[in-house]
Amino acid sequence: MAYKDLREWIARLERAGELTKIDAAVSPYLEMAEIADRTAKLPATSKRGAGGPALLFENVTGYPGASVLMNQFGSERRMKLALEVDSLDEIAARIRTLLHPPTPTGFLDKLKLLPALAEVGSFFPKVIDKKDAACKQVILQGDEIDLAELPVLTTWPQDGGPFITLPCVITQDQKSGKRNVGMYRMQVYDKSTTGMHWQRQKNAAEQLRDRLRAAATDSASAVDLMALTAGGTVSASSLDTVATQTLTAIRGDRMEVAVAIGTDPATTFSAIVPAPPEIEEYLIAGFLRQKPVELVRGETVALDVPAHAEYVLEGFVNLAELRTEGPFGDHTGFYTMQEDYPVFHVTCITHRKKPIYAATIVGKPPMEDAWMGKAVERIFLPLMQLTLPEIVDVNLPPQGVFHNLMIVAIRKSYAGHARKVMNGIWAMGQAMFTKCIIVVDQDCDVQDLNEVTLRVANNIDPERDIQFTLGPVDSLDHASRLPNYGSKMGIDATRKWAAEGFTRAWPPMLKMAPEVKAKVDAMWKKLKIE
């Protein structure tokens, strides 16, 4: 049975022995973050295993009656519990079946496909009546709105303020009507405004740019506006007259936004997945939980929000308004410094009675996001293989903070194949941010970093086998030559062929004779070496 809401998920964690309730007084200013960080870094040898338990803080300093959930996804076991599978590869197998259904050979085979098609249809989100939506139990508008009533965390000493770190940010494309759910940190400025850290290449930021382009008088003006504003990320004060006039003309135009905090785990997880732009995250959540997500219409926005969320913030972003956001201690292990981002104005807060605030902390890996990222890697491998079928496996090591390093094993079929794969990855959705790509042959286990290191160190001639290219980089990359633009590197660590100009003999790797291994296996326990 799919988890209806965060509370059913918490109850499941408790039954599984995966939850620790903390009744000691703990402040949301730095203290919760330090406890969660230490917990996330517990080793596999600890009593609770790698990543420690989920944490429910029930005595929040300065917030009587409040509770805060952290580290809910912070281990492999909890990720599997969250998605209700014994192995994350189960979900990948379901995706492969959808992408490559068996070819029916007769009428009976076609009939057998109907239940699978009907099942997919049952995953579409369902809008329910407001009276049945738990998130509507308390509704606050006007002077009642006060974000300071939420136990929002400050996670690192130099942070610019408290940040909402686990929000499901909901927008809607004006042209297609597609709903988007993304996860972008939100710095709380005051009672009713926050930052909206829409990274430049994310769907919500593109929806905002579409609104800016639509305000231009013609296509040439739209091109100028994008160039002069760096895609809507530079304020009007530094622009020429034409761009300033365009932005001034739309200064009052708004883009509706809603933010859900504390949803069922599949809905929260769907907000971080690199889904194809045409597929709604609500549908992905339904597919993951094998049951549709229940939605309800907002009070002050024409957006559908998760009906059983703990909190829902409704409001808007002014198209021409930017404000300084940051610094923020990020998952790179460094602070992301101050930069201008859109401002979210809250027009309504709805929440459940005695709401549970869900939060996370990011920083030097391993942390909770490492397990979430590993789940994304396993689940969405089939989508990568749909575009690049030669890919056998991928590994996004947490130490590479996901966008800095990708290790790829391929079935090499022709000269230059590794470089083709590198360029294909750099052209693929969020994978375009990958700073370093290592390509190895299919007989290398990419999950074994010892094996990968051995292959890379031995199989490359650096001048010949390292490729550099320029393109978009992650907004969090503090080392790039310019914000959001810099170089990327690909390493071809595959065996080199004569067809690639390698004329020397390539030595075989060491491998013990199978019959010797079998004989030693049989006597190993008797040797009492371990």
Side-chain angles (χ1 to χ4, degrees), residues 474-491:
D474 195 276
S475 296
L476 308 183
D477 188 346
H478 63 268
S480 60
R481 64 197 65 197
L482 292 169
N484 308 294
Y485 180 74
S487 65
K488 289 170 272 194
M489 177 177 72
I491 300 175

Side-chain angles (χ1 to χ4, degrees), residues 43-271:
T45 54
S46 68
K47 181 180 178 181
R48 304 299 288 269
L55 305 172
L56 185 63
F57 296 92
E58 297 184 310
N59 186 357
V60 184
T61 303
Y63 297 86
S67 56
V68 176
L69 178 67
M70 297 188 72
N71 205 35
Q72 59 176 301
F73 301 114
S75 71
E76 182 180 6
R77 184 180 181 215
R78 285 203 293 287
M79 277 307 317
K80 290 188 289 189
L81 279 174
L83 302 177
E84 299 178 278
V85 293
D86 294 323
S87 167
L88 295 173
D89 289 329
E90 289 179 29
I91 300 174
R94 281 165 41 200
I95 293 174
R96 286 192 182 93
T97 301
L98 285 177
L99 296 174
H100 307 289
T103 303
T105 57
F107 179 70
L108 290 178
D109 285 339
K110 291 179 181 178
L111 288 179
K112 291 177 183 178
L113 288 177
L114 292 178
L117 295 174
E119 183 183 34
V120 172
S122 71
F123 300 152
F124 283 87
K126 174 185 177 183
V127 178
I128 66 172
D129 193 275
K130 290 184 179 181
K131 65 180 176 57
D132 300 317
C135 72
K136 302 284 189 181
Q137 291 173 349
V138 177
I139 299 175
L140 305 171
Q141 298 188 47
D143 292 339
E144 295 176 310
I145 295 172
D146 188 358
L147 293 172
E149 295 295 319
L150 279 65
V152 183
L153 275 64
T154 301
T155 53
W156 295 104
Q158 295 180 37
D159 282 359
F163 281 81
I164 300 171
T165 53
L166 207 61
C168 294
V169 179
I170 301 148
T171 57
Q172 189 162 19
D173 188 284
Q174 271 199 321
K175 293 181 292 185
S176 68
K178 174 190 173 291
R179 293 166 293 202
N180 182 73
V181 184
M183 189 168 288
Y184 322 104
R185 71 179 190 236
M186 300 166 58
Q187 180 178 347
V188 176
Y189 294 135
D190 52 41
K191 292 176 63 173
S192 62
T193 62
T194 78
M196 186 60 73
H197 193 266
W198 280 335
Q199 293 186 20
R200 277 63 173 167
Q201 297 84 359
K202 297 295 179 71
N203 289 340
E206 184 61 23
Q207 290 173 1
L208 184 144
R209 284 192 290 270
D210 283 342
R211 299 281 291 271
L212 290 174
R213 291 186 184 102
T217 55
D218 52 43
S219 59
S221 298
V223 171
D224 289 342
L225 185 61
M226 286 297 103
L228 292 166
T229 65
T233 61
V234 177
S235 62
S237 61
S238 60
L239 305 180
D240 66 7
T241 303
V242 174
T244 301
Q245 289 174 346
T246 302
L247 289 181
T248 300
I250 62 171
R251 189 169 298 281
D253 287 0
R254 298 176 174 182
M255 178 176 172
E256 290 188 335
V257 182
V259 178
I261 303 171
T263 66
D264 68 275
T267 300
T268 300
F269 181 71
S270 72

Side-chain angles (χ1 to χ4, degrees), residues 422-492:
M422 295 172 196
N423 288 304
I425 292 170
W426 284 322
M428 190 185 298
Q430 298 302 309
M432 67 175 156
F433 298 129
T434 309
K435 186 186 288 190
C436 302
I437 298 174
I438 297 172
V439 183
V440 295
D441 286 302
Q442 67 188 72
D443 63 336
C444 178
D445 180 2
V446 295
Q447 307 301 330
D448 183 347
L449 295 184
N450 291 327
E451 177 71 8
V452 171
T453 304
L454 181 72
R455 299 287 187 114
V456 174
N458 282 280
N459 283 4
I460 70 166
D461 176 278
E463 185 179 25
R464 180 195 64 204
D465 295 329
I466 296 178
Q467 171 178 325
F468 295 98
T469 189
L470 288 169
V473 298
D474 195 276
S475 296
L476 308 183
D477 188 346
H478 63 268
S480 60
R481 64 197 65 197
L482 292 169
N484 308 294
Y485 180 74
S487 65
K488 289 170 272 194
M489 177 177 72
I491 300 175
D492 178 2

